[in-house]
Amino acid sequence: MRELTLVEAVNDALHVELERDGSVLVLGEDVGRAGGVFRATAGLLDRFGPDRCVDTPLAEAGILGTAVGLCMAGWRPVCEMQYDAFSYPCLDQLITHVGRYRWRTGGGMDFPITIRMPYGGGVRAPELHDDSPETYYVHTPGVKVAIPATPADAKGLLAAAVRDPDPVVVLEPKLVYRTARGEVPEGEYVVQLGQARLAREGSDLTLVAYGAMVGVAERAADVLEASVEVLDLRTLKPLDEEALLASAAKTGRVVLVQEAPRTCGYAAELAAVLAEKAILDLRGPVLRVTGYDVPYPYWAIEDAYMPSVARVVDAARRLLAFA
Amino acid sequence: MAKVEREGSVSEGELREFLREMLLIRRFEEKVEERFRAGELPGFLHVAIGQEAVAVGVCSALGEDDVFASTHRAHGHTLARGTHPNHVMAELYGKLEGCSRGYGGSMHLYDVERGNMGANAVVGGGLPAVTGAALAFKLRGEARVALAFFGDGATNIGTFHEALNLAQLWRVPAVFVCENNAWAESTPASQHMPITDMSDRALAFGMEAISVYGQDVEEVRAATERALQHARSGEGPVFMDVETYRLTGHYVGDPQVYRPKGELDELRETQDPIDRLRERLGLADEELERIDREVTEIVEESVRFAKAGTDPAPEDALKNVYA
């Protein structure tokens, strides 16, 4: 099978889905002639024309709001937010409308919108180009959230999002856009939402991660002297609770890794689920390795902010010290 | 920005129908106020007393396949578009028989069959969706128009500028109807706009603008026809600055301490669109009373219908968040 980088897999998914379904269109800033700042939409304009690959002005609320109207008239829009933090101007449309329409109309309206964006730190970018905003989206009723860690999942999850009848936010870890390389099936390929991936099997301790933190967890597992399981969640909402609880029952020790700020981050929700449903399986406290409750720092000190292999290893060793 | 001259395209029979619709809206809104005071309806109700000619003049000009989005002051638009008063009243009472199945309430009236893309509690929130629906029509080559109602207060919000900019940029078949009643809730136009001529807003986008006196239903109808024709013919969107008067508070129960003393009485005396149309038609007292009795009975029946409706069960709230 051919190998692609993660961002090439995103591009491949878009080509396949636009080819498959004439009602799918892409809109966003610089997605056309430029092919997107990360080249995720490269080639779409030439292949599908300006009606299916729409260059927009810098207007995130306008982009998502336009997508709402397009849905009402039968299109399946895929909106690109150029960077994680550039999505904040569209949060209003997402929270007040996109996530609520179906409910508000008693199930009378469909909103098959995909919002995809590069997210996360570690790329030596200035502030507002490296946020991990997943919790805002997870917290919004009516919205689903997926985050791939591998090229194959980047393709499969994006295809699932495009085909899903509900609004789906797909956050793509830009740190590994070009460093994550792997086999990606050709043609149509879908990874169902709501299914975690066991990235590595083990019996002593579980590291739970998503996005770029999966790689950090795997490198930590390499270093640790114990048998470590790595669970890649892939979809944050709906959560694959079964996979989480099964791994917790198996190892009895869980460390959660997220690069977003700590308070009320996604790891806090996972810890709550474990406290409610796995308390008798656990042999020690659920530990979190996270970013800090600060704006994402400038590049010179960002390595201290990001969860590192050393921090994950340290947490794991502390947990393994419990009987 | 020439004022629209009376074009005489509306027959006397149609004008009588307009009067009946406007009176129906008036009596409906008065009933809503009454039922609020009786403690049957919760607050957060915005009635359109004084703005009936805008709703009827605009909606009567819309084609069957055209769509529109409304505002927090939505009852008039919805009734004028033909949604049955029973289903609007049932929605206010939160019943499953309501036009949004009891999920939306006063500020979220929907009627997909009649192209009602929904009222909106967030000022300016529905504007980008109108641009999106119009873009969808353009991409599909359909001769349909998407129309937005909004107030003067909404022109200060970012989504207004994004929606109009995108609409003009893409030359989509959209009509933006500003119900300019000179009050943003309790804030007068002089305190919320740095300009005096609202149509200057449209000039910033190079958009066609029409100013119209909104208390005259014939003028509104004629201006809307012109706007729709312009949009439908592919010449791009139109901005309508409609001068109108809210002959009541912002919300039902509003003490209106911000209004200059005597203003409301004077406006009711001079700016009532129903009085104006009645004079134009030279309607005899007994004829008006006959129409009044007819619409009053329709409104009474809507209350009976609503009260006899089905309450949603608490578990119904869990439905329709996702497909």
Side-chain angles (χ1 to χ4, degrees):
Chain A
M1 206 185 292
R2 74 201 163 135
E3 288 203 342
L4 297 178
T5 64
L6 197 146
V7 72
E8 286 168 349
V10 169
N11 184 263
D12 185 32
L14 292 171
H15 273 90
V16 171
E17 292 306 305
L18 264 76
E19 186 72 50
R20 180 188 63 80
D21 182 347
S23 67
V24 178
L25 64 78
V26 167
L27 66 165
E29 298 156 5
D30 306 302
V31 297
R33 189 56 60 203
V37 293
F38 289 99
R39 310 290 297 151
T41 56
L44 294 176
L45 178 67
D46 287 341
R47 174 69 189 79
F48 300 101
D51 286 357
R52 307 274 308 283
C53 180
V54 183
D55 262 323
T56 69
L58 308 176
E60 288 82 7
I63 294 168
L64 186 53
T66 296
V68 167
L70 285 165
C71 279
M72 287 171 168
W75 290 89
R76 299 179 87 86
V78 180
C79 304
E80 174 173 304
M81 296 292 145
Q82 196 161 73
Y83 279 92
D84 32 60
F86 296 7
S87 73
Y88 301 149
C90 90
L91 262 180
D92 163 55
Q93 282 285 320
L94 188 89
I95 294 171
T96 58
H97 303 311
V98 172
R100 295 174 189 243
Y101 269 118
R102 176 182 290 280
W103 187 91
R104 188 189 278 165
T105 58
M109 283 173 147
D110 284 333
F111 287 90
I113 297 178
T114 302
I115 303 164
R116 46 165 295 275
M117 71 190 81
Y119 91 103
V123 296
R124 301 292 183 256
E127 194 201 334
L128 297 171
H129 294 68
D130 25 35
D131 281 7
S132 293
E134 64 272 18
T135 305
Y136 304 135
Y137 299 115
V138 171
H139 200 63
T140 301
V143 173
K144 297 174 181 173
V145 181
I147 304 185
T150 67
D153 285 347
K155 177 173 181 179
L157 289 170
L158 181 53
V162 170
R163 298 173 190 209
D164 200 88
D166 292 313
V168 184
V169 177
V170 183
L171 295 146
E172 298 157 1
K174 66 169 114 48
L175 175 62
V176 295
Y177 253 164
R178 294 196 173 81
T179 54
R181 172 175 279 279
E183 292 188 343
V184 177
E186 292 195 37
E188 291 190 31
Y189 177 64
V190 177
V191 172
Q192 295 303 325
L193 299 176
Q195 293 180 3
R197 175 181 72 98
L198 210 49
R200 179 180 301 213
E201 286 199 57
S203 54
D204 296 333
L205 178 139
T206 305
L207 296 174
V208 181
Y210 49 89
M213 292 301 102
V214 173
V216 173
E218 288 184 302
R219 289 198 293 284
D222 289 339
V223 173
L224 285 159
E225 40 291 316
S227 169
V228 177
E229 184 145 296
V230 176
L231 187 67
D232 170 8
L233 290 177
R234 300 204 289 194
T235 304
L236 275 57
K237 196 177 186 184
L239 167 67
D240 187 349
E241 212 173 88
E242 203 176 310
L244 176 71
L245 296 176
S247 187
K250 184 174 162 190
T251 65
R253 300 180 184 89
V254 182
V255 175
L256 310 165
V257 189
Q258 91 187 13
E259 60 177 280
R262 188 174 187 83
T263 303
C264 282
Y266 192 68
E269 171 65 18
L270 296 173
V273 170
L274 291 167
E276 284 170 353
K277 300 186 176 172
I279 192 77
L280 298 177
D281 293 327
L282 297 175
R283 305 169 69 169
V286 173
L287 296 183
R288 286 178 290 168
V289 179
T290 69
Y292 297 90
D293 288 338
V294 297
Y296 192 89
Y298 197 46
W299 64 269
I301 53 168
E302 75 172 327
D303 290 347
Y305 172 92
M306 292 281 280
S308 61
V309 171
R311 281 171 63 194
V312 175
V313 166
D314 177 61
R317 285 191 178 137
R318 278 187 285 131
L319 185 51
L320 285 162
F322 284 83
Chain B
M1 253 42 64
K3 283 266 183 190
V4 174
E5 299 303 325
R6 198 164 273 158
E7 291 175 4
S9 61
V10 181
S11 72
E12 182 142 333
E14 275 179 287
L15 281 181
R16 279 168 185 264
E17 183 52 32
F18 289 173
L19 182 85
R20 186 179 168 282
E21 284 182 30
M22 286 160 62
L23 202 54
L24 173 67
I25 294 169
R26 175 71 56 92
R27 296 295 177 245
F28 185 95
E29 298 290 49
E30 286 168 351
K31 182 58 72 177
V32 167
E33 291 182 325
E34 178 204 297
R35 293 296 88 200
F36 165 75
R37 292 200 179 94
E40 274 178 23
L41 290 173
F44 312 104
L45 296 159
H46 308 90
V47 296
I49 290 173
Q51 302 183 190
E52 296 90 345
V54 188
V56 171
V58 169
C59 288
S60 69
L62 283 172
E64 202 174 312
D65 292 332
D66 294 339
V67 300
F68 74 100
S70 179
T71 68
H72 55 285
R73 202 175 304 285
H75 310 164
H77 305 146
T78 308
L79 292 168
R81 181 60 172 171
T83 302
H84 198 286
N86 285 2
H87 299 133
V88 181
M89 193 63 89
E91 188 59 35
L92 303 191
Y93 275 81
K95 304 291 186 178
L96 290 178
E97 291 79 2
C99 60
S100 305
R101 302 182 205 184
Y103 285 80
S106 168
M107 284 185 265
H108 296 291
L109 302 173
Y110 288 81
D111 189 342
V112 179
E113 260 175 55
R114 290 174 182 79
N116 181 343
M117 295 164 61
N120 206 307
V122 176
V123 169
L127 289 168
V130 164
T131 295
L135 176 63
F137 300 153
K138 184 186 171 184
L139 292 177
R140 290 234 160 95
E142 297 171 345
R144 300 164 71 187
V145 177
L147 179 144
F149 288 107
F150 53 96
D152 45 308
T155 66
N156 299 308
I157 280 182
T159 49
F160 166 82
H161 298 274
E162 293 192 23
L164 268 72
N165 186 56
L166 291 171
Q168 181 67 25
L169 183 69
W170 294 332
R171 298 211 166 248
V172 298
V175 174
F176 297 97
V177 180
C178 180
E179 292 184 287
N180 187 354
N181 66 21
W183 288 100
E185 301 193 15
S186 68
T187 306
S190 60
Q191 276 179 39
H192 76 69
M193 279 170 47
I195 53 175
T196 50
D197 184 352
M198 177 63 83
S199 58
D200 286 352
R201 299 279 203 207
L203 294 182
F205 307 105
M207 190 182 292
E208 184 78 14
I210 299 175
S211 296
V212 57
Y213 175 58
Q215 304 311 84
D216 184 322
V217 71
E218 274 184 289
E219 275 199 34
V220 176
R221 165 65 180 250
T224 310
E225 280 181 359
R226 261 179 54 197
L228 289 169
Q229 193 187 4
H230 183 94
R232 217 183 298 280
S233 65
E235 291 179 61
V238 179
F239 179 86
M240 286 173 62
D241 173 21
V242 185
E243 175 192 341
T244 187
Y245 295 89
R246 192 184 79 200
L247 302 179
T248 183
H250 167 57
Y251 56 91
V252 179
D254 181 358
Q256 301 186 70
V257 291
Y258 49 83
R259 289 251 204 200
K261 202 167 152 51
E263 183 194 272
L264 197 56
D265 288 338
E266 193 199 317
L267 289 176
R268 282 177 175 154
E269 203 60 40
T270 58
Q271 298 292 350
D272 190 315
I274 296 175
D275 287 350
R276 186 183 184 89
L277 181 54
R278 185 198 166 183
E279 263 172 51
R280 156 92 172 85
L281 287 167
L283 222 56
D285 284 353
E286 57 194 40
E287 171 119 37
L288 184 72
E289 280 162 23
R290 187 186 59 74
I291 300 171
D292 203 354
R293 275 197 303 275
E294 203 182 301
V295 298
T296 301
E297 178 46 36
I298 291 170
V299 171
E300 291 295 343
E301 171 54 26
S302 77
V303 174
R304 285 193 291 271
F305 177 86
K307 285 187 181 180
T310 319
D311 286 323
E315 56 268 30
D316 286 344
L318 301 176
K319 298 175 186 164
N320 299 317
V321 179
Y322 296 98

